[in-house]
Amino acid sequence: MLGEQKICFSGVQPSGNLTIGNYLGAIRNFSTFSDAYKCFYCVVDEHAITVRQVPADLRRRTYETLALYMACGLDPEKNTLYVQSHVPAHAELSWILNCYTMFGELSRMTQFKDKSTKHADNVNAGLFTYPVLMAADILLYQTDVVPVGIDQKQHVELARNIAERFNQLFPDTFTVPEPMIPQNGKKIMSLADPTKKMSKSDENQNAIVYILDDRDTIIRKFRRAVTDSDTVVRFAEGKDGINNLMTIYSCFTEKSMEEIEREFAGKGYGDFKLAVGEVCADALAPVQARYKELLADKAGLEAQMKKGAEEAAYYARKTLAKVQKKLGFVQVR
Ligand code: ATP
Ligand code: LTN
């Protein structure tokens, strides 16, 4: 809470091209909080360097992610949109919170276990303390709610634990945040291996539908999606591929699983896959058109980054000063 207003915070890494998993699990839902909450949506470039990035790509994707935020309906007049590295308080609070986070807690984070296996040649300390920076992002703004996909739930729970631990030592420092996980779309699976999360860093391009894929590519990728040897479109255990496609279809059409089963009764997987591709392409077309316009105006995006960072820094500095004072750091003005 900031005064009377409830706060919403979330972030997306500019670590690759964004997928329909990022869209359905997170970004699409961000704008639903804009009326009732003061919202901060951050492009978390400092998180992205926990795995190796090509600097020119990171720079380009930072602009692209901000443009996508806006193209997905986030009005910069109603939401604070900014880049993490432009607000130094994130890194400063992160250091402090490192000293209030236990090694054992971080060792239990499943994303660390997954990413350290995947990037075995670069298990750096940042990969390990990543969730502490995420806790700093959230706690700096006295955040009440954090809209994320289910894979980030464990990290938000860690942020809650850190906040509670800190508040016990120093009462009334942080608001304890709640994860807001969408009912539908919380975990979109890979089209190539529907037992795995669709992830923007997957090497198999057929596994992923990007928000910016063109219509033909989207339809082709859905046509190739791995399913099963059954022929009936129904949501059931063991039908991971079809369940995933039904979830995606349901996210874009708001139809229930029963309605979808009825709609495709007597039809084959081919018809269904085409329909999923079409609703997805239809829904993304306006986002893509708006994105192109926004990205063409680099100066406009930079002005937005600057304005967003100033707004965010104002709130972030307040929390950071409060924490530093409680800890016993000398304040001189
Ligand atoms: P990476 O592959 O680089 O780890 P990612 O695709 O998991 O990236 P993030 O930037 O880590 O993307 O996530 C941004 C947001 O998108 C988070 O809230 C995350 O929970 C959500 N998200 C990511 N992938 C999915 C998915 N497959 N289904 C639903 N939500 C997702
Ligand atoms: N770790 C998140 C990105 C992220 C985030 C945050 C999400 C960084 N800081 C704060 C919500 C709140 C991820 O999606 N991988």
Side-chain angles (χ1 to χ4, degrees):
M1 291 275 270
L2 283 169
E4 283 304 293
Q5 202 165 23
K6 288 222 173 197
I7 309 298
C8 170
F9 183 99
S10 196
V12 174
Q13 303 184 69
S15 54
N17 296 326
L18 298 189
T19 73
I20 58 165
N22 300 129
Y23 181 70
L24 298 175
I27 305 177
R28 176 173 89 144
N29 311 315
F30 289 176
S31 61
T32 62
F33 293 88
S34 301
D35 287 330
Y37 293 80
K38 168 140 191 67
C39 297
F40 296 87
Y41 295 118
C42 186
V43 180
V44 290
D45 54 350
E46 291 169 331
H47 277 100
I49 63 163
T50 54
V51 305
R52 292 284 174 258
Q53 303 290 336
V54 175
D57 292 346
L58 180 65
R59 190 171 298 117
R60 176 177 47 78
R61 288 189 186 122
T62 302
Y63 286 93
E64 291 173 354
T65 307
L66 182 72
L68 257 184
Y69 273 175
M70 294 198 255
C72 292
L74 293 177
D75 176 352
E77 297 305 317
K78 286 216 255 160
N79 304 274
T80 302
L81 309 179
Y82 71 104
V83 177
Q84 188 182 34
S85 64
H86 295 173
V87 181
H90 289 247
E92 293 178 71
L93 182 63
S94 178
W95 172 256
I96 293 171
L97 297 182
N98 263 318
C99 304
Y100 293 84
T101 307
M102 299 302 131
F103 187 89
E105 284 179 307
L106 292 177
S107 311
R108 288 194 288 276
M109 295 292 117
T110 56
Q111 182 175 297
F112 172 70
K113 291 186 212 163
D114 293 348
K115 293 218 167 167
S116 54
T117 312
K118 205 162 148 200
H119 304 278
D121 55 336
N122 181 25
V123 185
N124 62 74
L127 197 62
F128 189 64
T129 59
Y130 174 115
V132 184
L133 178 58
M134 179 162 161
D137 298 340
I138 297 168
L139 302 183
L140 259 185
Y141 298 93
Q142 306 294 348
T143 300
D144 297 276
V145 296
V146 185
V148 279
I150 200 142
D151 61 305
Q152 295 301 314
K153 187 167 180 240
Q154 195 185 30
H155 289 163
V156 181
E157 277 162 2
L158 178 72
R160 287 174 62 86
N161 292 342
I162 297 172
E164 279 164 357
R165 179 174 305 134
F166 202 94
N167 285 347
Q168 267 195 342
L169 295 165
F170 307 103
D172 301 323
T173 308
F174 294 122
T175 301
V176 179
E178 290 277 352
M180 298 294 268
I181 301 189
Q183 288 235 322
N184 211 1
K186 59 181 177 289
K187 191 172 186 189
I188 300 299
M189 310 308 273
S190 153
L191 298 190
D193 176 356
T195 60
K196 266 179 36 193
K197 186 186 88 139
M198 183 183 287
S199 168
K200 59 169 121 77
S201 50
D202 198 320
E203 264 122 52
N204 181 353
Q205 295 299 301
N206 286 324
I208 315 165
V209 175
Y210 295 110
I211 300 178
L212 298 174
D213 274 343
D214 63 42
R215 189 178 186 86
D216 289 349
T217 308
I218 294 175
I219 290 175
R220 176 173 46 78
K221 285 181 175 173
F222 278 113
R223 194 179 311 127
R224 290 202 188 147
V226 169
T227 48
D228 52 55
S229 54
D230 191 12
T231 50
V232 185
V233 176
R234 69 192 162 90
F235 197 91
E237 192 145 344
K239 290 173 67 75
D240 297 325
I242 286 294
N243 294 350
N244 188 39
L245 295 180
M246 288 179 77
T247 302
I248 295 169
Y249 191 70
S250 160
C251 283
F252 284 120
T253 59
E254 309 216 328
K255 291 179 184 162
S256 68
M257 296 307 167
E258 295 72 32
E259 283 174 295
I260 300 171
E261 286 174 1
R262 258 182 271 126
E263 185 178 348
F264 291 95
K267 295 189 184 150
Y269 283 176
D271 289 343
F272 177 54
K273 286 176 168 181
L274 177 64
V276 183
E278 283 177 338
V279 294
C280 177
D282 288 347
L284 295 178
V287 173
Q288 296 177 352
R290 181 86 188 99
Y291 168 82
K292 281 201 190 104
E293 289 170 17
L294 289 159
L295 199 65
D297 179 13
K298 207 171 163 195
L301 290 173
E302 284 173 357
Q304 178 48 52
M305 285 178 188
K306 201 155 175 270
K307 171 175 159 284
E310 278 163 13
E311 276 168 22
Y314 169 79
Y315 295 100
R317 273 199 296 264
K318 277 206 212 176
T319 301
L320 184 64
K322 178 176 168 190
V323 168
Q324 290 173 327
K325 197 167 164 203
K326 290 196 183 223
L327 286 172
F329 290 0
V330 172
Q331 319 257 290
V332 282
R333 277 180 224 281

